[in-house]
Amino acid sequence: MQQELGLRDDQIVRKNNVSDSDPAATETAIRECIEEGCNIIFGTSWGYMDKMESLAAEFPDVYFCHGTGYKNNGTNLNNYFGRIYQARYLSGIVAGMKTKKNYIGYVAAKGIPEVIRGINAFTLGVQSVNPDAKVEVVFTDTWYDPTVEKQAALELLNKGVDIIAQHQDTTAPQVAAEEKGAYCIGYNFPTSDAAPKAYLTAACFDWKTFYTDDVKKAMD
């Protein structure tokens, strides 16, 4: 987006590793962006939503764009997300064709619409080619915790699943699958290097298309 729109490095402010379960940290990061002169702010995790809503009301001249949530105010707060459920469905077809046990595990972050619709889409993909297959889900209540995610995957693997899918931000479930001689399906990035013997495919985003279009519209 920066390259395509010809923006300088000093026109982009990045705040990395801001916990979406810490409202104070979220507010601090957003206020720092505003103080540095940002007039378009993207929040890229579910837990940023409420703070983005309140700060959008406080700063009506700043555009707030929240990824994965459902709130907007019709003026300077909107929400966005990719149709990742379509890729989830396709990855479910892969799992349904590959499983030998008709028993597939899914390590999921939180019980929110973004995650649940992904589980549903994946399962529908599985059933479209293998109606006898079962998908079992374990929720971790975290987006990023390699230890917890791996434990959840091992719980499923020890029950006998032969494929692990995931809605998590680390490769820990994939590593667990390879260690147990099972297959895995990743998320966000093609991570075949993490578990090369187990990796089948991944449901991935290409965010640059959206960000370029969205910022261009705001600039215009």
Side-chain angles (χ1 to χ4, degrees):
M1 180 271 288
Q2 179 180 357
Q3 293 171 349
E4 291 191 25
L5 298 181
L7 299 175
R8 303 183 307 273
D9 287 347
D10 63 1
Q11 290 177 281
I12 309 277
V13 175
R14 296 173 174 84
K15 300 292 182 180
N16 297 318
N17 300 318
V18 178
S19 171
D20 85 336
S21 60
D22 185 343
T26 300
E27 180 169 356
T28 296
I30 293 173
R31 287 187 180 278
E32 287 175 352
C33 288
I34 294 169
E35 289 168 3
E36 292 187 51
C38 296
N39 46 27
I40 305 172
I41 297 176
F42 292 95
T44 60
S45 193
W46 170 270
Y48 301 152
M49 179 169 60
D50 291 340
K51 279 299 178 183
M52 295 198 81
E53 180 184 37
S54 62
L55 289 168
E58 183 178 343
F59 297 95
D61 295 329
V62 178
Y63 288 110
F64 292 82
C65 309
H66 179 242
T68 78
Y70 58 84
K71 291 184 176 182
N72 70 80
N73 62 11
T75 54
N76 68 324
L77 171 68
N78 65 38
N79 60 75
Y80 67 94
F81 200 50
R83 293 186 178 91
I84 197 66
Y85 52 83
Q86 295 176 339
R88 295 272 192 205
Y89 184 90
L90 295 175
S91 67
I93 292 175
V94 173
M97 295 175 69
K98 193 69 173 177
T99 181
K100 302 299 184 185
K101 297 182 178 180
N102 289 339
Y103 191 21
I104 298 164
Y106 197 109
V107 181
K110 296 175 182 284
I112 61 174
E114 171 197 346
V115 178
I116 292 170
R117 67 174 172 252
I119 295 168
N120 291 344
F122 176 83
T123 303
L124 288 169
V126 170
Q127 293 177 343
S128 73
V129 294
N130 188 345
D132 295 325
K134 173 185 176 182
V135 177
E136 182 166 342
V137 181
V138 170
F139 286 95
T140 63
D141 197 34
T142 178
W143 297 109
Y144 189 100
D145 189 321
T147 301
V148 172
E149 293 169 36
K150 188 172 184 179
Q151 288 173 345
L154 289 172
E155 177 184 335
L156 291 163
L157 290 159
N158 290 335
K159 286 184 175 182
V161 305
D162 60 355
I163 297 176
I164 289 287
Q166 68 179 73
H167 190 143
Q168 299 281 183
D169 289 342
T170 82
T171 58
Q174 297 166 63
V175 171
E178 180 164 287
E179 290 177 358
K180 289 288 188 176
Y183 291 103
C184 64
I185 291 174
Y187 178 53
N188 281 331
F189 302 102
T191 49
S192 57
D193 56 332
K197 296 179 181 178
Y199 180 82
L200 296 175
T201 189
C204 300
F205 294 97
D206 184 2
W207 285 115
K208 66 177 179 288
T209 303
F210 167 74
Y211 286 122
T212 301
D213 180 67
D214 200 55
V215 175
K216 178 67 163 57
K217 287 177 179 175
M219 291 168 65
D220 290 344

